[in-house]
Amino acid sequence: MSTDIVLIDDNEIHLQTTRRILQNYGFSVETLSDPVQSLELLPVINPRVIILDIMMPGMDGFHLLKSIKELPQFTDIPVIILSGKQFSPDKRKALALGAKEYLTKPVNSRDLISEIKKHI
Amino acid sequence: MGYLKFWGVRGSIPTPGPSTMRYGGNTSCLEIQCDDKLLILDAGSGLRNLGNALMGKGQAIQAHVFITHMHWDHIQGIPFFTPAYIPGNSITFLGADEADRSLQSIISGQMDPTYFPIELDDMGAELNFRNLSEDTYTINDIRFETLYVNHPGNALGYKFYLKDTSVVYISDNEPFDTSAVASEEMLGEDGNQKLIDFVKDCDILIHDAQYTQEEYEKHRTWGHSPFTFTVDVALQANVGQLVLFHHDPLHDDNAVDTILESARQRVHNSDKSLNIIAAQEGLEIAL
């Protein structure tokens, strides 16, 4: 059975809270806090949707998004950015790199669920 | 042991003129001399005067230039940095690249022939480029940490460990919206706590304080801080000395004086102590 969603964020509290809420909606969820390591684990987990932070140690979300999209099996995977950065240039950049949507924290959980349901 | 000197303290665009004579009108540039090492923090228009001063010493120059981000006011001094034209000098630029563009490409872009008559490749010094992310580094025996800060694009804050003195430099940064933190209805986090942890117990904090609180309300999502936030971070992080930085181009010397006085009053109204100054061109702090 494949995983519905992978959350990638360096903030553990945010990861756990978001995972619990998404699980309450019936999704299967895995969390990853290390962006560099996530490049190795994503092919193993093989999620249907990725939710990705931007400001993370080791590798920022823009570089990670580009690297994910360069993996053959993830060329078309829906990636939703969920970041505290509220700047329109960052949103434009993420969408140009292949993200489906750019949501900013704090985000209403209904809006996040609604975006996920477009892809699952 | 060394010193830290301000060569440019202004945000966004140079503001020469009689109304900014005391604090200065050049954009971001700091010099750190630590033993025999030269560190340059940002390469705004202040870099030109720093370059001229270094040339006056008549010595070969080996410099590391730490760039917070690639907006004009942080790189516009590079084409006018005379030491970069001198064979035998070595300049290493460090900063965060973009996912779709290298550090060298970003810096050389402003010297495209359309914008400037001399290209980066035509500068005579040895130029090196080192990409950084959020991490801990030791380069040329200089230990430092980096932090992604809240500003459009990939922007870094730096924490340098210089012998017995720690210096944090965060030129451009806006508070995160923490109006909701991790509830069933709203998903968020206290993004500002990471900043406080990074700054914790440093000896000198140089931080964006571009706006008053009233001005900030009109400039949300512009990527800068009201001085009130900057003071509160410094107080919570037990900082030794706070330097208000990145003065707004609309602020004359009297306006910066007023912000400085208000910042000191904010500390006075708290139950803590904190030494605050406003960054000023030519100001030198012994390390």
Side-chain angles (χ1 to χ4, degrees):
Chain A
M1 182 177 161
S2 69
T3 300
D4 291 327
I5 301 164
V6 163
L7 302 170
I8 306 175
D9 195 310
D10 62 316
N11 186 304
E12 281 292 345
I13 295 173
H14 176 74
L15 277 180
Q16 299 316 318
T17 306
T18 307
R19 173 163 67 180
R20 180 169 48 78
I21 288 169
L22 295 182
Q23 285 174 335
N24 287 346
Y25 279 84
F27 297 113
S28 56
V29 181
E30 293 283 346
T31 61
L32 300 172
S33 58
D34 183 331
V36 177
Q37 192 182 33
S38 71
L39 277 175
E40 300 171 13
L41 296 175
L42 279 172
V44 179
I45 301 170
N46 196 27
R48 298 167 70 187
V49 168
I50 296 171
I51 299 176
L52 179 59
D53 187 23
I54 292 293
M55 300 165 72
M56 296 182 288
M59 179 184 282
D60 68 83
F62 298 116
H63 281 84
L64 181 55
L65 171 60
K66 183 169 183 283
S67 297
I68 290 170
K69 289 291 184 177
E70 287 172 350
L71 295 172
Q73 66 268 48
F74 291 132
T75 303
D76 297 320
I77 190 166
V79 177
I80 300 167
I81 302 295
L82 182 53
S83 170
K85 299 189 81 179
Q86 301 186 330
F87 309 113
S88 52
D90 293 322
K91 179 175 182 176
R92 286 197 296 272
K93 187 179 3 172
L95 297 178
L97 290 168
K100 287 291 185 188
E101 187 53 89
Y102 188 106
L103 302 175
T104 54
K105 302 173 188 172
V107 63
N108 189 303
S109 53
R110 288 191 304 274
D111 293 338
L112 179 59
I113 299 297
S114 171
E115 186 59 35
I116 292 169
K117 285 184 173 175
K118 292 179 183 175
H119 310 291
I120 294 181
Chain B
M1 182 188 95
Y3 63 84
L4 182 163
K5 185 171 181 177
F6 292 85
W7 292 89
V9 301
R10 190 66 54 173
S12 307
I13 190 168
T15 54
S19 68
T20 57
M21 289 273 294
R22 277 193 291 120
Y23 285 102
N26 279 303
T27 54
S28 301
C29 182
L30 282 66
E31 171 195 13
I32 292 177
Q33 291 280 355
C34 182
D35 293 336
D36 60 341
K37 297 181 178 64
L38 169 60
L39 287 63
I40 299 171
L41 314 187
D42 272 329
S45 66
L47 184 68
R48 176 177 169 273
N49 285 337
L50 169 57
N52 293 341
L54 292 171
M55 291 298 294
K57 294 181 180 178
Q59 301 169 346
I61 293 165
Q62 287 194 332
H64 286 74
V65 184
F66 297 85
I67 298 178
T68 54
H69 64 299
M70 302 300 154
H71 288 164
W72 271 348
D73 54 327
H74 295 258
I75 62 171
Q76 64 194 165
I78 293 172
F80 303 95
F81 186 49
T82 305
Y85 290 89
I86 308 300
N89 288 344
S90 171
I91 318 290
T92 300
F93 294 97
L94 306 97
D97 68 356
E98 301 287 345
D100 54 358
R101 204 166 177 200
S102 72
L103 186 61
Q104 180 168 355
S105 168
I106 296 167
I107 291 175
S108 66
Q110 70 166 343
M111 296 176 74
D112 178 279
T114 303
Y115 309 113
F116 196 73
I118 304 170
E119 295 187 66
L120 192 73
D121 289 344
D122 295 327
M123 295 176 120
E126 175 191 334
L127 303 183
N128 303 298
F129 301 87
R130 171 78 185 259
N131 186 52
L132 305 175
S133 61
E134 186 176 295
D135 216 327
T136 300
Y137 300 90
T138 299
I139 295 176
N140 196 25
D141 291 331
I142 303 159
R143 188 163 78 87
F144 64 98
E145 298 171 7
T146 53
L147 175 77
Y148 286 123
V149 293
N150 195 28
H151 193 72
N154 275 347
L156 290 173
Y158 291 94
K159 185 174 191 176
F160 296 96
Y161 296 92
L162 306 166
K163 300 279 187 178
D164 298 326
T165 306
S166 55
V167 177
V168 174
Y169 175 60
I170 298 176
S171 64
D172 299 50
N173 183 42
E174 178 165 358
F176 282 105
D177 179 359
T178 55
S179 56
V181 177
S183 67
E184 286 292 329
E185 187 176 356
M186 296 294 288
L187 296 170
E189 64 196 37
D190 187 358
N192 299 321
Q193 185 60 48
K194 195 171 172 183
L195 170 70
I196 293 168
D197 293 342
F198 184 77
V199 167
K200 189 79 178 165
D201 294 329
C202 73
D203 296 302
I204 300 170
L205 169 62
I206 302 153
H207 193 286
D208 184 342
Q210 182 153 338
Y211 299 130
T212 65
Q213 187 65 45
E214 294 74 24
E215 290 168 337
Y216 176 64
E217 298 305 329
K218 300 172 187 167
H219 296 87
R220 285 182 180 271
T221 73
W222 284 41
H224 297 290
S225 294
F227 75 86
T228 45
F229 171 77
T230 304
V231 169
D232 291 350
V233 166
L235 286 172
Q236 290 180 61
N238 192 36
V239 164
Q241 175 163 47
L242 172 62
V243 183
L244 306 177
F245 191 72
H246 210 270
H247 306 316
D248 191 280
L250 290 173
H251 288 170
D252 61 15
D253 288 333
N254 292 336
V256 178
D257 282 341
T258 300
I259 284 178
L260 175 59
E261 181 55 36
S262 300
R264 287 172 171 164
Q265 187 61 47
R266 192 171 183 87
V267 173
H268 183 73
N269 293 342
S270 74
D271 59 353
K272 298 178 180 176
S273 63
L274 172 65
N275 185 18
I276 306 180
I277 58 174
Q280 190 168 12
E281 265 184 54
L283 173 68
E284 207 171 291
I285 299 174
L287 297 174

